[in-house]
Amino acid sequence: MFTCLEILPEKEGIFSKIYEKIKPPLPQREYVQVKGGTPFLRLKVRENHMSWSKISASLEKNERHIIAASDTQFPDCVSLTRAEPRSLGTNIMFRTALKLLGESGKGKNLSFSLYDRDGSCIKMLKSLAPLVRYVSVYTEKIREYFYAASVIMEEWGMSVKINEYESMSPPGEIIVADEFSLNMKNAGLVFLSSPSVISYNTVTGEGFALDEPYRILKSRSTDDFLFASALYEYNGVRVFENCEFSYLCLAGRRVSREILLEKFG
């Protein structure tokens, strides 16, 4: 579960302001039902009565992953965590890389690395077998990926190397990653789940379209993709699995698929 923090504007009217000064409003809890998944918690607080201690006290242990506007600062004095779901982004960028590899026809000369801490791409790993020369995986889900690798070996005769997530083994020429690390700087292309780190070789996405039934559930200040990612990772809403970004960016600038295809091989 996650909590969506909604900051409400100050109330108008002198009597309302006097009343709230005498009796400051507490954060309002509201469980929100979600189609295709479990509920999330919406926590409403007044902008002029923001109290992080009250916010923290109003949340249960499993509700302390919070999504909020990007400019909302979390103080160190409370045990709250800004939710940073990555699984959906990793999934989308993995499928994007697969499509480009198929279109390029050059993948058989390339090595491919997948950095997937939580194992969100296990079911799709087999799709790489006919497209690339060599595959390595960096993950904390060692056992699950070993099973997927054994299936690939049996069906395709391809050996997939499974590494601990923090391993510093050199990655491949094409990378899909849930986080960027310095050992990726010499790769050809790095497909990242989040645009937060930009290098000359990173491919990121923009323009995620959240369907209306889900858009109306979030606060205006919450990013569409962040909200969808939280629903996917924490609440099991799988409807987003086949979504795509409207635009792809190379080093932070929008580019055509043709330009990216030129980078393969």
Side-chain angles (χ1 to χ4, degrees), residues 187-205:
L189 291 173
V190 182
F191 292 80
L192 279 181
S193 64
S194 168
S196 57
V197 178
I198 301 299
S199 177
Y200 78 97
N201 61 351
T202 54
V203 181
T204 54

Side-chain angles (χ1 to χ4, degrees), residues 121-157:
C121 298
I122 291 173
K123 293 181 180 178
M124 296 187 288
L125 187 67
K126 189 165 63 172
S127 302
L128 282 169
L131 297 176
V132 297
R133 175 172 57 87
Y134 176 80
V135 178
S136 58
V137 176
Y138 300 77
T139 184
E140 290 181 356
K141 300 294 183 180
I142 297 290
R143 180 182 299 179
E144 293 86 342
Y145 263 112
F146 262 126
Y147 176 77
S150 67
V151 173
I152 292 174
M153 171 60 79
E154 183 176 341
E155 295 184 4
W156 291 89

Side-chain angles (χ1 to χ4, degrees), residues 46-224:
R46 290 257 174 234
E47 184 176 19
N48 55 320
H49 291 285
M50 277 283 292
S51 169
W52 285 103
S53 60
K54 288 181 180 179
I55 290 173
S56 181
S58 67
L59 296 174
E60 302 292 337
K61 185 176 181 181
N62 67 332
E63 299 168 347
R64 305 178 80 80
H65 279 81
I66 297 178
I67 63 171
S70 58
D71 59 352
T72 302
Q73 300 296 317
F74 284 50
D76 296 332
C77 59
V78 292
S79 57
L80 300 174
T81 304
R82 183 183 291 277
E84 296 180 339
R86 296 187 176 94
S87 295
L88 180 60
T90 307
N91 249 271
I92 292 176
M93 297 312 285
F94 187 95
R95 286 186 283 102
T96 299
L98 284 177
K99 288 181 180 180
L100 290 171
L101 280 167
E103 292 173 25
S104 74
K106 301 176 182 178
K108 279 297 184 181
N109 299 318
L110 300 172
S111 57
F112 184 100
S113 290
L114 171 62
Y115 287 75
D116 180 20
R117 184 186 296 275
D118 300 319
S120 65
C121 298
I122 291 173
K123 293 181 180 178
M124 296 187 288
L125 187 67
K126 189 165 63 172
S127 302
L128 282 169
L131 297 176
V132 297
R133 175 172 57 87
Y134 176 80
V135 178
S136 58
V137 176
Y138 300 77
T139 184
E140 290 181 356
K141 300 294 183 180
I142 297 290
R143 180 182 299 179
E144 293 86 342
Y145 263 112
F146 262 126
Y147 176 77
S150 67
V151 173
I152 292 174
M153 171 60 79
E154 183 176 341
E155 295 184 4
W156 291 89
M158 173 186 279
S159 176
V160 177
K161 185 178 181 182
I162 311 298
N163 306 276
E164 295 283 352
Y165 188 84
E166 303 297 339
S167 171
M168 294 304 293
S169 298
E173 298 154 277
I174 304 297
I175 299 171
V176 173
D178 48 17
E179 294 179 28
F180 186 82
S181 60
L182 290 178
N183 65 331
M184 300 176 187
K185 63 182 180 179
N186 294 322
L189 291 173
V190 182
F191 292 80
L192 279 181
S193 64
S194 168
S196 57
V197 178
I198 301 299
S199 177
Y200 78 97
N201 61 351
T202 54
V203 181
T204 54
E206 285 185 356
F208 183 87
L210 189 61
D211 290 339
E212 189 64 22
Y214 298 99
R215 187 183 296 114
I216 61 176
L217 298 179
K218 72 179 189 68
S219 62
R220 290 184 179 181
S221 60
T222 303
D223 176 74
D224 279 15

